[in-house]
Amino acid sequence: MGLTKQYLRYAASAVFGVIGSQRANITYVTLRGGEKGRYVAVAACEHVFIWDVRKGEKVLILQGQKHEVSFLCPSPDGVHVAVGYEDGMVRIFNLLSGESSVSFNGHKSGVTAMSYDALGARLVTGSKDTDVIVWDIINECGLYRLRGHKDLITQALFLKDKNLLVTSSKDSFVKWWDLDTQHCFKTMVGHRSEVWGMVLLNRENRLLTGSADSELRAWDISYLEEERAEGEPRMKKGKTLLEDDDGDDKEEEETLEERILSCKKAGSILREARDRVVSLTADSKARVITCHGNDAVLEVFSVLSEEEVQRKMTKKMKKAKKKAAKAQEDAGEQTAEPVVERTLKDEIIRLTNIKASAKIRWVDVLSCAGGELKVALLLQNNTVETYSLKTSDKNPTANKTARLTLGGHRTDVRTLAFSSDNLAVLSASGDTVKVWNRSTLQVIRTMACEYALCSLFVPGDRQIILGTKSGKLQIFELASGSLLETVDAHNGAVWSLCLAPDQRGFISGSADKTVKFWEFELIKDQGTEQKRLTVKHTRTLQLEEDVLCVKFSPDHRLLAVSLLDCTVKIFYTDTLKFFLSLYGHKLPVLCLDITHDSTLIATGSADRNVKIWGLDFGDCHRSLFAHDDSVMFLQFVPKTHLFFTAGKDKKIKQWDADKFEHIQTLEGHHREVWCLAISPNGDHLVSSSHDKSLRLWERTREPIILEEEREMEREAEFEESIAKGNVPVVPGETEGEAAPAGKKSIETVKAAERIMEALELYREETRKLEEHKYFSEKAGKELLPPKPNPILVALGNVTPSRYVLDVIRKVRSSELEVSLLVLPFPYVPELLKLFNAYIQQGLEVELVCRCLFFLLKIHFGQITSNQMLVSVIDELKTNTLSKVGQIRDVLGFNSAGLQFLQREIESREDVMFFADATGQLEEKKKRRRKRERAVLTIA
């Protein structure tokens, strides 16, 4: 069957207009050879943008896939950045190449907290699904999942010297986890509401938590192993017959609870803000703490070192003694020695407050050389600001060093327009109008305006006209970027503008129940005698209801007006006589458009439907359920009967108005889509959304076959349902605190299927070889060997067993365990026999051991009860032990060799260093003698 009608696919081309998304945090990163504090990473919908704050330029884009970025965390070595997404995935990007090689899939919903350990070998992630997962970065796999919190995880931190983890959550608890045994040994319950952030201070001997009130609570942590090491052993009392049992039980409980550490409230610091802590951060050395609420003020605190606190206390003591001595003189009697208490205010002092230009969403701080503190703020209005302050000053003041605002609007873009040459795109928001170059996506002009609702390019593309919320029309000139004129056009918001087909004027529709006709005019300015553009009001059409949208038919015969009473009225343009009323929508029509041949009109409404009507008799051809929320914008592709709709359900859809078919869905926006604009040649589409982003879509040469498109949609739905499927429940088993880190996804199912296929191929090939051997023996001569499987030939005539190993090796390290978990048991005995062969040959011993131990753990009952496998397991035991022992010996030898080389190099360098030093001394002496001789000769 041939293609009856060819549709071409529109593909995502670029995301622009967004400087930093609110959903994820901001963080300082270092690029190759770059200085500290010059580059910041922020989320931009599904991508990560890295900005050079000094130049105000985007230097690197870390490409995302589909889901929004929800958290960023740079690695301690500064080479990688971990990116968490809204679907629970974590990807690790290399900042040198901008590529991602490692991805972890374990959470069911968005990642909300991430942190590396001191070495950068492990990563902990917390999520909205209340789980905490620890990942092994080097082996690229999940270690374990920790369950216990009842709400979203807000922070998770590793301790540097101990194998402990501390997590905080919206459930008001702070939990301490022992990672050796993977259990929670302490839960702090001292908060009355959500814990929004926490930092570790004073070499991890103090924990500072931020909650929903104006207090920052401090907790002193004492590690009990340390106390014993200092010579204070906590001896366990031996029970004697005379002692009471109850008292001893009490002590036993206490030692269990406080075996690792104890936490005691040390006091609290009062913030100036009254609302909740939005984010609480410290610099890498934990000497400076910053926090902020839902306002524009960032509070900066300094943590004094022990010496500074001691100096402060001696000063206080001196003052107190002076005071006491004075009081003694006045009273004439002996007073007691004064006592000065050390409080939290003596250790943590307020440095300064930084007032940003708008509400702060996230903050990151960086300590630099010379006591300089760099602060990066991501604001709620799509802006990044950086400040610098000297912490060593007595009264430090913050200086604004950079502000990134040019590449985006502060508020949502409510109107878009294309220039007639397809090259410029206009976008206007609540305070600015910007003109972009479509090919480079750079801003050409930015002009301040009132709250814009609709816009158009004046024919010739030298001026633009905006309709505003206050009822004014604003005319701007693009060459100078200046406002030419503001016309008081209407008494209500101007909701719609439409250029006349003869291009001599336009119409405006407003909430004041009128449609006004305007003509372009050139007039001379009084002062400059230069001609400039203005508009002249020619006629008014008075209506019963507020006007929401107006459109001319391209043949200039008719005028369509959408009203607040859910109808569309059609008038003759020349006489303004009423022609048709299109009624049928249950809610107001928010957008409409007429085809190029003036035969069809399509209307999109807040009732989520799109109706296609004939313009001859006003008959409704078809009503389509278009979106899951209001249809916000509708436009026909020039010279076709295809149209695009944009909805509040975050989607843009393309439809065929003749066949009433849904052609394709453009997914990408993460919030409501407000409007879109199609270029005059139909090759490009620009859309704007509440997520602050503008997206450019490009028409490709790839044809769309509708059946295939529907099939792809069904497949995507199936894949999503697999990922949401629950893990099988084992009867009689209760969920523990620790669980495996991975989760079942479409990738793990596919990996398991690939292993099963490889094992089936291996079975088939071994059967063929056995048959060949049998027939050769029967015939008494060597027969022709059977033809190998084409897959084995394609891979260079590999053996079937080697092929199985290659398939297992290609499974992602992070998905290996879950793939083996999905594997049915009948395949396991074969796999165990193969593992034995691999270990004997010394192939991929580490990987094979990992698979082997996992399979033994999950199928323990079935393997031990199977008589056939006893000999296999016995062989595996001896082979594995000897092979692993050999590998360990080699590693030990290599490690010792490297240490020896290191010592050799160090000792040689030391000798060289001393030789250099003596040589330099001789040089200095020579120079001095020369100088002395010169002085003597002059004298």
Side-chain angles (χ1 to χ4, degrees):
M1 191 187 93
L3 293 177
T4 50
K5 188 168 183 181
Q6 195 172 355
Y7 304 112
L8 294 176
R9 186 180 299 284
Y10 280 79
S13 169
V15 179
F16 62 108
V18 61
I19 291 166
S21 293
Q22 311 306 299
R23 193 53 79 85
N25 57 323
I26 184 171
T27 175
Y28 276 111
V29 290
T30 45
L31 294 184
R32 188 177 3 206
E35 61 194 86
K36 269 176 96 181
R38 180 166 179 179
Y39 302 102
V40 294
V42 287
C45 299
E46 68 269 31
H47 306 304
V48 176
F49 286 173
I50 292 172
W51 294 91
D52 179 340
V53 287
R54 188 183 294 169
K55 290 182 181 172
E57 287 175 3
K58 205 183 295 172
V59 287
L60 185 63
I61 299 175
L62 307 178
Q63 295 283 346
Q65 286 160 342
K66 181 183 170 187
H67 295 275
E68 215 173 349
V69 174
S70 60
F71 206 85
L72 301 171
C73 178
S75 65
D77 61 3
V79 178
H80 296 92
V81 63
V83 182
Y85 294 88
E86 271 302 312
D87 63 339
M89 187 175 241
V90 177
R91 292 171 74 199
I92 292 167
F93 285 89
N94 186 321
L95 287 172
L96 305 177
S97 63
E99 298 294 316
S100 158
S101 54
V102 184
S103 65
F104 298 130
N105 210 340
H107 291 293
K108 291 186 184 74
S109 52
V111 176
T112 53
M114 281 200 289
S115 151
Y116 276 94
D117 67 354
L119 285 172
R122 289 178 302 174
L123 176 77
V124 61
T125 59
S127 160
K128 284 182 190 167
D129 64 8
T130 75
D131 289 351
V132 175
I133 302 181
V134 180
W135 305 94
D136 182 343
I137 300 285
I138 295 161
N139 200 19
E140 298 179 11
C141 68
L143 294 174
Y144 34 80
R145 179 190 302 266
L146 303 171
R147 296 195 178 111
H149 282 293
K150 299 281 183 285
D151 208 336
L152 179 152
I153 311 294
T154 54
Q155 183 65 286
L157 301 166
F158 283 108
L159 270 73
K160 277 196 183 76
D161 308 323
K162 296 174 181 56
N163 199 17
L164 303 178
L165 176 75
V166 57
T167 59
S168 68
S169 163
K170 268 176 74 177
D171 62 6
S172 82
F173 298 135
V174 173
K175 286 181 178 283
W176 290 84
W177 306 84
D178 182 351
L179 296 183
D180 294 324
T181 56
Q182 295 144 40
H183 82 288
C184 170
F185 64 88
K186 188 171 190 64
T187 302
M188 291 162 58
V189 292
H191 301 89
R192 291 193 191 91
S193 55
E194 302 98 330
V195 181
W196 286 104
M198 60 176 180
V199 287
L200 286 160
L201 311 171
N202 299 4
R203 297 205 187 105
E204 301 183 342
N205 286 325
R206 171 159 294 152
L207 183 73
L208 195 70
T209 57
S211 187
D213 49 23
S214 55
E215 274 184 58
L216 293 179
R217 293 170 177 77
W219 311 81
D220 278 336
I221 307 161
S222 47
Y223 302 100
L224 285 118
E225 288 91 339
E226 283 177 18
E227 286 182 20
R228 288 196 199 103
E230 285 161 18
E232 299 175 40
R234 179 176 285 200
M235 293 298 286
K236 204 173 183 183
K237 277 188 183 175
K239 232 185 220 183
T240 62
L241 291 169
L242 298 168
E243 273 179 356
D244 198 18
D245 269 9
D246 298 350
D248 202 68
D249 280 354
K250 210 171 184 180
E251 187 165 338
E252 183 72 24
E253 272 174 36
E254 193 177 299
T255 51
L256 268 172
E257 160 72 356
E258 304 196 335
R259 191 170 289 163
I260 301 171
L261 55 80
S262 66
C263 288
K264 200 164 77 249
K265 191 166 179 189
S268 58
I269 309 161
L270 279 177
R271 296 161 50 229
E272 283 180 5
R274 289 277 163 266
D275 56 348
R276 77 169 180 92
V277 170
V278 172
S279 72
L280 174 69
T281 36
D283 66 334
S284 54
K285 295 186 181 71
R287 297 298 309 278
V288 175
I289 311 161
T290 59
C291 75
H292 65 89
N294 266 318
D295 51 12
V297 178
L298 178 76
E299 298 178 52
V300 186
F301 298 92
S302 175
V303 182
L304 300 181
S305 63
E306 193 56 39
E307 296 87 55
E308 289 170 318
V309 176
Q310 289 303 335
R311 259 184 279 164
K312 206 172 177 187
M313 295 314 293
T314 26
K315 271 187 191 174
K316 263 194 175 182
M317 195 68 189
K318 274 182 188 171
K319 267 188 188 174
K321 277 182 179 171
K322 258 189 193 175
K323 211 174 182 184
K326 202 177 183 189
Q328 198 174 327
E329 274 175 31
D330 294 348
E333 57 186 59
Q334 194 73 25
T335 54
E337 185 76 18
V339 179
V340 177
E341 288 247 337
R342 177 168 164 171
T343 62
L344 193 66
K345 283 178 184 164
D346 299 320
E347 297 173 40
I348 300 173
I349 57 163
R350 184 184 293 277
L351 265 184
T352 184
N353 284 357
I354 298 175
K355 180 91 168 72
S357 62
K359 286 182 178 178
I360 303 168
R361 188 64 193 86
W362 296 97
V363 60
D364 194 27
V365 285
L366 186 71
S367 287
C368 299
E372 186 192 5
L373 182 76
K374 289 185 174 176
V375 181
L377 302 176
L378 175 62
L379 307 183
Q380 286 187 11
N381 65 354
N382 196 26
T383 307
V384 170
E385 289 186 346
T386 59
Y387 292 84
S388 163
L389 64 113
K390 279 262 190 284
T391 51
S392 48
D393 294 356
K394 199 166 188 183
N395 294 315
T397 52
N399 302 313
K400 191 184 286 187
T401 50
R403 186 162 186 251
L404 305 178
T405 56
L406 193 64
H409 289 273
R410 307 286 69 74
T411 53
D412 291 2
V413 171
R414 297 310 293 254
T415 173
L416 292 164
F418 256 104
S419 62
S420 59
D421 58 4
N422 310 297
L423 290 177
V425 179
L426 175 154
S427 64
S429 68
D431 52 2
T432 51
V433 53
K434 288 178 185 281
V435 179
W436 309 78
N437 179 329
R438 194 214 73 230
S439 49
T440 63
L441 302 178
Q442 296 298 316
V443 182
I444 306 165
R445 284 278 176 275
T446 300
M447 298 158 281
C449 66
E450 288 189 28
Y451 198 120
L453 296 173
C454 47
S455 60
L456 55 85
F457 273 94
V458 174
D461 299 335
R462 293 182 180 179
Q463 295 89 6
I464 56 170
I465 295 178
L466 301 182
T468 68
K469 204 173 184 177
S470 58
K472 295 183 176 69
L473 291 175
Q474 292 191 308
I475 307 169
F476 290 90
E477 186 170 48
L478 292 185
S480 59
S482 59
L483 175 65
L484 291 181
E485 190 180 355
T486 301
V487 181
D488 287 322
H490 292 272
N491 299 326
V494 180
W495 286 113
S496 182
L497 294 176
C498 178
L499 194 64
D502 62 3
Q503 302 205 330
R504 291 182 181 172
F506 63 95
I507 47 171
S508 60
S510 162
D512 66 358
K513 304 179 184 177
T514 60
V515 174
K516 292 190 177 178
F517 290 70
W518 308 83
E519 276 185 4
F520 298 123
E521 260 193 355
L522 286 171
I523 57 162
K524 278 190 178 177
D525 256 351
Q526 258 78 41
T528 56
E529 290 295 311
Q530 290 230 326
K531 279 191 176 181
R532 68 170 177 83
L533 181 88
T534 186
V535 291
K536 186 177 82 177
H537 176 216
T538 55
R539 331 182 253 174
T540 303
L541 171 62
Q542 185 66 46
L543 293 147
E544 302 293 309
E545 293 280 348
D546 290 16
V547 176
L548 297 176
C549 189
V550 287
K551 266 286 182 305
F552 274 120
S553 64
D555 62 6
H556 211 290
R557 193 170 70 90
L558 302 170
L559 162 69
V561 182
S562 145
L563 300 175
L564 202 58
D565 64 1
C566 313
T567 63
V568 175
K569 300 271 194 285
I570 295 172
F571 299 89
Y572 290 107
T573 308
D574 45 6
T575 59
L576 295 186
K577 269 189 182 170
F578 173 74
F579 171 46
L580 291 169
S581 177
L582 312 178
Y583 55 89
H585 282 293
K586 296 179 182 68
L587 288 169
V589 172
L590 303 175
C591 48
L592 56 89
D593 199 11
I594 300 172
T595 53
H596 66 102
D597 53 10
S598 306
T599 54
L600 298 175
I601 177 169
T603 57
S605 160
D607 65 8
R608 307 182 284 185
N609 289 310
V610 166
K611 288 184 192 287
I612 298 160
W613 319 73
L615 265 182
D616 308 336
F617 311 107
D619 54 326
C620 180
H621 289 187
R622 185 63 67 95
S623 183
L624 304 165
F625 180 70
H627 289 272
D628 297 329
D629 208 332
S630 304
V631 182
M632 296 304 295
F633 207 85
L634 184 153
Q635 193 179 344
F636 276 98
V637 177
K639 302 193 174 50
T640 69
H641 280 198
L642 309 178
F643 64 94
F644 279 96
T645 58
K648 273 192 176 179
D649 61 355
K650 314 172 193 173
K651 293 186 177 78
I652 297 164
K653 294 184 180 181
Q654 190 185 16
W655 309 83
D656 184 339
D658 292 333
K659 294 188 156 191
F660 319 118
E661 297 256 29
H662 170 215
I663 300 165
Q664 63 174 328
T665 304
L666 305 180
E667 289 190 64
H669 283 294
H670 301 286
R671 298 284 177 286
E672 302 94 314
V673 185
W674 295 130
C675 59
L676 54 88
I678 302 171
S679 62
N681 61 8
D683 282 344
H684 295 92
L685 176 88
V686 174
S687 55
S688 87
S689 159
H690 184 44
D691 61 16
K692 300 279 194 301
S693 72
L694 299 173
R695 281 171 192 266
L696 181 67
W697 312 82
E698 218 165 73
R699 184 158 61 187
T700 61
R701 310 302 326 146
E702 181 196 343
I704 289 180
I705 294 141
L706 297 182
E707 287 79 15
E708 281 182 16
E709 199 69 11
R710 297 299 89 84
E711 183 64 35
M712 279 158 66
E713 280 171 20
R714 283 194 291 274
E715 266 179 32
E717 263 178 46
F718 170 69
E719 287 181 14
E720 269 182 34
S721 68
I722 276 190
K724 283 176 186 160
N726 289 329
V727 182
V729 177
V730 181
E733 199 172 276
T734 53
E735 271 195 0
E737 275 185 328
K743 76 165 184 189
K744 185 179 167 185
S745 67
I746 194 72
E747 280 80 19
T748 59
V749 173
K750 282 178 182 171
E753 282 172 1
R754 282 198 298 273
I755 296 171
M756 280 148 65
E757 280 166 14
L759 284 166
E760 275 161 14
L761 186 144
Y762 169 75
R763 271 180 200 166
E764 186 61 31
E765 291 297 301
T766 43
R767 189 184 57 76
K768 274 191 209 168
L769 287 168
E770 277 170 11
E771 279 178 9
H772 170 257
K773 196 176 171 187
Y774 171 71
F775 287 124
S776 295
E777 279 173 8
K778 238 183 173 185
K781 60 175 182 177
E782 191 64 36
L783 298 171
L784 280 171
K787 273 190 178 178
N789 191 298
I791 296 174
L792 302 178
V793 178
L795 293 168
N797 278 327
V798 292
T799 60
S801 62
R802 195 61 198 259
Y803 173 65
V804 175
L805 181 63
D806 286 347
V807 168
I808 294 172
R809 201 173 54 202
K810 280 173 188 164
V811 176
R812 267 197 188 150
S813 182
S814 57
E815 291 163 1
L816 186 62
E817 271 89 359
V818 189
S819 302
L820 292 171
L821 189 63
V822 177
L823 199 70
F825 182 73
Y827 291 94
V828 172
E830 204 127 27
L831 211 49
L832 292 177
K833 286 171 191 164
L834 279 170
F835 285 169
N836 193 18
Y838 299 148
I839 287 171
Q840 277 174 337
Q841 294 164 36
L843 298 171
E844 300 282 350
V845 177
E846 200 178 327
L847 174 71
V848 170
C849 285
R850 187 178 152 194
C851 297
L852 171 66
F853 299 149
F854 185 75
L855 287 173
L856 288 173
K857 193 165 74 178
I858 58 171
H859 297 300
F860 181 75
Q862 282 167 295
I863 290 171
T864 48
S865 60
N866 191 332
Q867 289 295 316
M868 305 283 286
L869 290 175
V870 172
S871 56
V872 180
I873 295 293
D874 206 41
E875 270 182 64
L876 269 168
K877 182 182 157 190
T878 51
N879 292 339
T880 311
L881 285 170
S882 65
K883 263 287 179 282
V884 171
Q886 283 173 24
I887 291 173
R888 200 171 54 204
D889 293 345
V890 170
L891 278 174
F893 181 83
N894 289 348
S895 172
L898 287 168
Q899 283 169 359
F900 170 73
L901 285 171
Q902 187 185 357
R903 286 196 296 274
E904 282 286 298
I905 290 163
E906 279 173 0
S907 60
R908 201 175 300 156
E909 276 183 352
D910 285 353
V911 171
M912 290 277 284
F913 178 71
F914 287 123
D916 286 352
T918 48
Q920 281 170 351
L921 195 69
E922 288 297 320
E923 283 285 310
K924 271 186 186 172
K925 279 180 182 172
K926 274 181 188 171
R927 276 197 218 116
R928 199 183 297 142
R929 282 192 210 113
K930 252 187 192 175
R931 224 179 290 130
E932 282 168 2
R933 274 193 218 114
V935 171
L936 284 169
T937 50
I938 290 163

